[in-house]
Amino acid sequence: MKASFKSVGLCGLLLCTPLATYANSFYVQPKLNKPIGQVLSNLGNSCQEFKADTESDHALEISDHHQSFELSHEWSDGSHTAFIAHSETQGNDRGQILSFKMGSNMFNSGQDIVSSDKTMSLTNKLRITEQHPSGMAWLPAPKNSGRDRGYLFIASENQQKVRVNEFSRTDHLGLTGEITQNDLNKITDVWLAQVGNFTWLILHHMGEGKGVAYKARTSDLFQVGTSNEGDIDLNAFNWTNRYNTPSNTGCGQSVGQNAQLVKDSTNKWYVVNSYTGGTICGANIGSNHVKAYPAFFTGNQTFTVSTNSNPTAQTTIGSSSGVTDEGADGASGFRVNKHGKLVAYMGGQYAYNSLFNWKTAVKECRSN
């Protein structure tokens, strides 16, 4: 297995509840409520704009920019934590993982959708040695082991590793561990999927159209039957296979750009990705494209993505006009909410000055 794992014990930080039964409380991402074609066809019909209360060091600096957006599961008080990965590639600057409080008052009651014109407050600036953190993925801890904690997987693009940090509803609880691999020259995206009794971890390099897959029995991942039950053990992930994707699905890149694995109502898996542009790429200028490509978990042994460059479904969500506008080249990502709706996030690459207060524009669009 061409990977190394470094784990950091957390039982000193958290109360480890021994020998509870968590088998039925593992997180499983909701399935889409419709076939993928119908989901994408109406994805841009309902959008709301909101803001991230970022700071002056997130404003325009050449080569530095927001890279991805990720949302936690719903905490016990109805709130969420939002994360933005911010690259800092000049000098000896460190990359940042920004976390924001999204109180329950930011969401329309019972709908799990963001209310318009709300601002989420910055709660933490986590600096990491990777100057270019890229895609992120969120994995909640088993509910019975503590509903109010979870794990943020961070693609460290140039260091060829994935960092895993634990967060509670109120705090950053520290680095859980790192996954370092030798198969990819860079890691631009990290995806998670639950298939049967297994949790899959996919590391992807969108610039070369290839990736590597790992899987763990979920009960082993959360150490069921041990005194550390409920805490994540990254050593449970085992390397399964390499895979390839189409080399160019838009703007000279393969699938990626903060993509996510989703399962539609017909139980078929897809990689959903987005990008902005066509003539001008990488600057949040042009149409916001969303495409879906078939993905396969074959006999629970391997993970693959279709190498056909024609997507199963595609759409556009308006257009973006520049680096502070909401687009897929900035603070962007996807999730499936508890009602089975696909939610796409489009965000600025840089903060803008609003009445002497630096903010980042974000837009949430969702399917019916």
Side-chain angles (χ1 to χ4, degrees), residues 17 37 47 57 62 79 82 87 145 152 163 184 191 200 213 234 238 253 257 272 280 290 306 328 364 366:
T17 306
C47 299
D57 59 336
I62 300 300
S79 68
S87 72
S145 72
L152 186 69
R163 287 177 164 85
L184 306 174
W191 311 324
W200 287 78
L234 298 179
N238 292 303
Q253 303 282 351
Q257 186 64 29
V272 179
I280 301 174
V290 179
S306 171
E364 179 196 85
R366 68 204 71 85

Side-chain angles (χ1 to χ4, degrees), residues 27 29-34 36 38-50 68-72 80 82 102 106-108 110-115 136 257-263 271-274 289-291 315 317 327-328 331-347 362-368:
Y27 173 79
Q29 177 178 271
K31 186 167 64 173
L32 293 172
N33 59 3
K34 295 176 182 177
I36 193 68
Q38 293 182 36
V39 168
L40 261 58
S41 69
N42 58 58
L43 182 59
N45 292 348
S46 180
C47 299
Q48 300 275 30
E49 295 182 352
F50 62 104
S68 59
F69 183 98
E70 185 70 19
L71 193 71
S72 76
H80 294 254
M102 296 188 75
M106 284 197 67
F107 296 86
N108 290 343
Q111 297 300 308
D112 193 24
I113 57 177
V114 174
S115 300
M136 298 181 289
Q257 186 64 29
N258 313 317
Q260 184 158 325
L261 282 165
V262 299
K263 184 166 67 171
V271 177
V272 179
N273 76 293
S274 61
H289 302 272
V290 179
K291 298 182 179 182
T315 191
I317 306 178
S332 65
F334 294 93
R335 72 180 176 107
V336 181
N337 76 5
K338 61 187 178 183
H339 302 293
K341 298 179 180 182
L342 181 63
V343 181
Y345 293 99
M346 305 285 173
V362 189
K363 178 169 63 178
E364 179 196 85
C365 297
R366 68 204 71 85
S367 61
N368 292 341

Side-chain angles (χ1 to χ4, degrees), residues 179-200:
I179 300 171
T180 303
Q181 53 74 53
N182 301 317
D183 291 284
L184 306 174
N185 295 319
K186 291 184 178 182
I187 303 174
T188 60
D189 290 87
V190 54
W191 311 324
L192 292 165
Q194 296 80 35
V195 184
N197 295 323
F198 293 90
T199 296
W200 287 78

Side-chain angles (χ1 to χ4, degrees), residues 279-296:
T279 303
I280 301 174
C281 297
N284 262 5
I285 298 175
S287 297
N288 298 314
H289 302 272
V290 179
K291 298 182 179 182
Y293 292 86
F296 308 93

Side-chain angles (χ1 to χ4, degrees), residues 4 14 33 63 67 76 84 104 118 121 125 127-128 149 154 203 216 225 237 269 292 296 327 360:
S4 61
L14 296 165
N33 59 3
S63 298
Q67 180 64 45
S76 61
I84 292 176
S104 58
K118 299 286 187 177
S121 58
K125 292 169 67 171
R127 290 179 169 85
I128 61 176
R149 58 185 176 124
I154 305 162
L203 312 182
F237 282 115
W269 285 92
F296 308 93
T360 295

